[in-house]
Amino acid sequence: MKTTVEQSLRAYLDDKTANGELGPGSRLPTERALVAQLDAPRSAVRRALDTLEGEGVVTRHVGRGTFLTESARAGAEAAPPDTSPVEIMQVRLVIEPPVAMLAARLATQADLDRIVECLQAGGASSTFEDFEAWDAKLHRAIAHAAHNGLLLSMFDVMNTARTLPVWGTLKRRTSTPERRGCYHQEHEAIVGALVDRDPEKAERTMRVHLEHVADNLLGRV
């Protein structure tokens, strides 16, 4: 099986954390250095970093660099390789609607700005890969806006399961431009509720969205 740039980057980070060179909060090498280290195109390295950022493994700050998050190791180790799409959706339905309710109450303006940024980028995405990357970033930005470290760690554990091949294959097989457009409209409703500081609507619109995703992927879970 061919190793992807994303897999190579994950293996690189695993090695560096295992031997103590990197830890929570550590700054990663520059994109240029990673391009040389992984022997990969810069665009592919950037896409891999986008994916890891969406999962909460790394965080990026303009002008400062890319950093390993506090939950990176815990999340990567805690996602069982045999987790099924049904299990993923069941857990998402348990965790994400209440998280959206909390975010509507507790989000800062900076949180809302980041959420809106992810929403707009997702809406402008023209490919499956770009939309999925921004979808993951949007949902994590909402989880981050709840300002509950334990909930965020639980979210990150769940979110790593979305990187499993069985999930990606199912999402790609069921994705169409029309369906992505529908998801974007649902995202707009969720973000609108957050911006309006409406906890009940945020919880409801998130639940409706996830139930729609579950129906499209595998029928009602």
Side-chain angles (χ1 to χ4, degrees), residues 59-110:
T59 182
R60 289 189 278 187
H61 301 279
V62 177
R64 293 178 53 208
T66 303
F67 299 82
L68 203 63
T69 65
E70 293 289 333
S71 57
R73 288 295 300 169
E77 292 172 352
D82 58 348
T83 301
S84 72
V86 170
E87 290 174 320
I88 294 171
M89 287 310 309
Q90 286 172 338
V91 174
R92 292 190 72 185
L93 280 161
V94 168
I95 291 178
E96 293 196 60
V99 165
M101 179 181 287
L102 276 177
R105 293 173 177 152
L106 301 174
T108 65
Q109 187 56 51

Side-chain angles (χ1 to χ4, degrees), residues 11-140:
Y12 171 81
L13 295 179
D14 284 344
D15 287 344
K16 293 299 183 182
T17 51
N19 65 23
E21 291 184 47
L22 290 175
S26 295
R27 185 165 62 184
L28 271 60
T30 63
E31 282 187 6
R32 184 186 299 247
L34 288 173
V35 164
Q37 176 68 37
L38 302 177
D39 190 23
R42 188 162 191 167
S43 59
V45 171
R46 188 167 292 155
R47 285 195 299 270
L49 288 170
D50 282 344
T51 298
L52 295 185
E53 184 182 21
E55 295 168 16
V57 176
V58 301
T59 182
R60 289 189 278 187
H61 301 279
V62 177
R64 293 178 53 208
T66 303
F67 299 82
L68 203 63
T69 65
E70 293 289 333
S71 57
R73 288 295 300 169
E77 292 172 352
D82 58 348
T83 301
S84 72
V86 170
E87 290 174 320
I88 294 171
M89 287 310 309
Q90 286 172 338
V91 174
R92 292 190 72 185
L93 280 161
V94 168
I95 291 178
E96 293 196 60
V99 165
M101 179 181 287
L102 276 177
R105 293 173 177 152
L106 301 174
T108 65
Q109 187 56 51
D111 292 330
L112 294 175
D113 289 345
R114 174 58 175 165
I115 289 169
V116 170
E117 176 189 357
C118 294
L119 172 71
Q120 293 174 341
S125 298
S126 59
T127 66
F128 167 80
E129 291 81 5
D130 286 347
F131 182 84
E132 284 297 302
W134 283 109
D135 176 272
K137 290 180 184 180
L138 173 65
H139 282 269
R140 192 179 190 275

Side-chain angles (χ1 to χ4, degrees), residues 1-12:
M1 181 182 295
K2 184 177 179 180
T3 301
T4 66
V5 175
E6 181 186 324
Q7 290 170 331
S8 296
L9 179 57
R10 289 179 191 277
Y12 171 81

